Amino acid sequence: MAEASHKPVPLLKDELDIVIPTIRNLDFLEMWRPFFQPYHLIIVQDGDPSKVIKVPEGFDYELYNRNDINRILGPKASCISFKDSACRCFGYMVSKKKYIYTIDDDCFVAKDPSGHDINALEQHIKNLLSSSTPYFFNTLYDPYREGADFVRGYPFSLREGVPTAVSHGLWLNIPDYDAPTQLVKPRERNTRYVDAVLTIPKGTLFPMCGMNLAFDRELIGPAMYFGLMGDGQPIGRYDDMWAGWCVKVITDHLGLGVKTGLPYIWHSKASNPFVNLKKEYKGIFWQEDIIPFFQNVTLPKDCTSVQKCYIELSKQVKEKLGPIDPYFTKLADAMVTWIEAWDELNTPSE
């Protein structure tokens, strides 16, 4: 066997886009250079489109600002949030790759307990390329990892698992807390590195954070809509949560898997809890109705594609959540617009 070179070929180099929403210069990419440089970046610039965003030399990227979004989508651009990191989902829509990794610009390279830099992207790819086990929990966590397996009592008929649609990574340092928790525990930092990847069981929802997230665009892309947030909307900081609830219901229905755990990134700064409270305020109590809705929603058997599932979900959102607040009627309409725009830019391959 030929000796392996010290620089292995990056996994899925031509099949993965890195999507970054930002309002500032992307100096943080310097730290990620060893891991990100071989990949194509899609930068979605939020806020003032006349501001020039600097990207470090040597990265292969395309950048879209609000003017570009309006030009490409026309009237359908109304479904893409403004002045909120939810605008990142535009990057998912224009990508031509099978996989997406999205990361925030305040996320740095973390170190594992032995002090080595964590290649977050590589771990996400490992998660996505191995199966998930949503129907039966394995007590040794991910059975497909090196040094692990299915434990005694695990049915052999379920050991093949199902395709993995989503890999949800975690964060060291600043945890992803809501405003009330931030206010009560302003100094809390996450220092616990848990060396585990779990499949989230079928029928169980979870809070999906968009800060360190990868997914298979072909399996679940059209459901990764980050909703209407930010400018002109009564709510913020629920963009990734909304996407996560929709995605989980649809992956459960279609027999796909969602994993959470490794990889960790280092989340460098906490956002202002008072600003966050303003954004989250309505969501905190709306959630008490939203969650039971998603827990009880059922999709008919003829919903065999992500698009069909998503359109059906939008109808149910309008019918069941519309009475809570007119915002949900607006959101349900935007969900339909999003699918129409997705399909226009992504003509289904034969």
Side-chain angles (χ1 to χ4, degrees):
M1 256 179 75
E3 202 178 308
S5 70
H6 289 296
K7 276 204 161 179
V9 176
L11 288 159
L12 306 178
K13 184 174 95 64
D14 303 317
E15 294 179 76
L16 183 141
D17 278 334
I18 299 172
V19 174
I20 305 166
T22 194
I23 53 168
R24 57 180 69 84
N25 292 337
L26 293 179
D27 306 331
F28 93 113
L29 283 172
E30 276 306 341
M31 184 182 234
W32 287 101
R33 189 182 289 277
F35 307 125
F36 288 2
Q37 192 156 4
Y39 295 89
H40 179 69
L41 313 180
I42 296 178
I43 297 158
V44 185
Q45 177 181 344
D46 199 15
D48 179 5
S50 66
K51 185 180 170 181
V52 176
I53 298 270
K54 290 198 181 78
V55 181
E57 286 289 306
F59 284 94
D60 167 36
Y61 72 93
E62 51 193 304
L63 187 147
Y64 297 93
N65 62 30
R66 194 68 208 189
N67 295 342
D68 300 315
I69 294 171
N70 292 338
R71 175 176 51 80
I72 292 164
L73 295 185
K76 292 191 174 72
S78 62
C79 73
I80 305 294
S81 300
F82 183 51
K83 293 191 177 166
D84 193 284
S85 66
C87 67
R88 78 177 80 220
C89 63
F90 176 76
Y92 310 161
M93 188 188 265
V94 293
S95 168
K96 295 286 174 270
K97 307 282 173 64
K98 179 170 163 57
Y99 299 98
I100 295 282
Y101 174 51
T102 185
I103 184 172
D104 286 5
D105 60 14
D106 62 351
C107 293
F108 301 160
V109 178
K111 291 196 183 301
D112 67 18
S114 57
H116 297 115
D117 283 355
I118 296 166
N119 184 345
L121 190 48
E122 181 182 49
Q123 180 64 47
H124 274 298
I125 291 168
K126 282 180 181 171
N127 293 348
L128 289 170
L129 294 182
S130 59
S131 299
S132 291
T133 52
Y135 303 121
F136 202 94
F137 190 82
N138 190 51
T139 49
L140 270 186
Y141 310 122
D142 190 342
Y144 306 108
R145 268 186 87 178
E146 210 176 312
D149 213 316
F150 292 97
V151 296
R152 183 170 56 87
Y154 202 101
F156 280 84
S157 58
L158 292 176
R159 292 190 182 194
E160 197 180 324
V162 302
T164 302
V166 179
S167 169
H168 177 259
L170 297 173
W171 347 270
L172 290 168
N173 196 36
I174 307 286
D176 188 24
Y177 285 164
D178 53 37
T181 311
Q182 277 185 303
L183 287 164
V184 176
K185 296 173 148 185
R187 289 185 184 83
E188 185 148 294
R189 298 293 179 266
N190 184 33
T191 55
R192 287 197 318 150
Y193 179 95
V194 181
D195 186 10
V197 178
L198 288 77
T199 295
I200 300 173
K202 184 181 180 185
T204 302
L205 294 171
F206 76 111
M208 186 179 83
C209 171
M211 197 157 41
N212 171 27
L213 177 75
F215 60 93
D216 184 322
R217 204 174 154 276
E218 287 175 10
L219 286 181
I220 200 64
M224 273 289 176
Y225 174 47
F226 275 42
L228 289 176
M229 303 281 147
D231 200 48
Q233 308 302 341
I235 186 175
R237 281 173 61 82
Y238 274 89
D239 51 336
D240 43 6
M241 299 297 136
W242 182 261
W245 300 327
C246 293
V247 159
K248 189 59 168 65
V249 163
I250 292 172
T251 51
D252 282 356
H253 175 77
L254 295 176
L256 302 169
V258 175
K259 289 179 176 176
T260 185
L262 300 181
Y264 284 89
I265 50 84
W266 176 270
H267 185 208
S268 64
K269 64 176 196 285
S271 41
N272 184 314
F274 297 101
V275 173
N276 289 350
L277 188 58
K278 256 186 175 168
K279 292 178 180 178
E280 292 171 11
Y281 168 68
K282 281 185 154 59
I284 287 168
F285 59 91
W286 281 349
Q287 212 176 307
E288 301 308 316
D289 290 305
I290 297 171
I291 297 306
F293 163 75
F294 280 107
Q295 284 171 329
N296 295 302
V297 75
T298 52
L299 298 170
K301 280 201 165 59
D302 63 353
C303 287
T304 50
S305 70
V306 176
Q307 279 92 331
K308 282 180 184 166
C309 290
Y310 204 71
I311 295 295
E312 174 59 32
L313 203 48
S314 76
K315 288 176 190 160
Q316 298 195 34
V317 166
K318 187 174 266 190
E319 183 194 329
K320 302 269 170 56
L321 297 178
I324 296 169
D325 192 275
Y327 168 73
F328 290 101
T329 305
K330 198 169 154 188
L331 176 57
D333 290 338
M335 290 167 77
V336 176
T337 305
W338 159 265
I339 292 293
E340 289 169 353
W342 181 284
D343 285 346
E344 267 177 34
L345 292 180
N346 298 278
T347 40
S349 54
E350 287 309 310

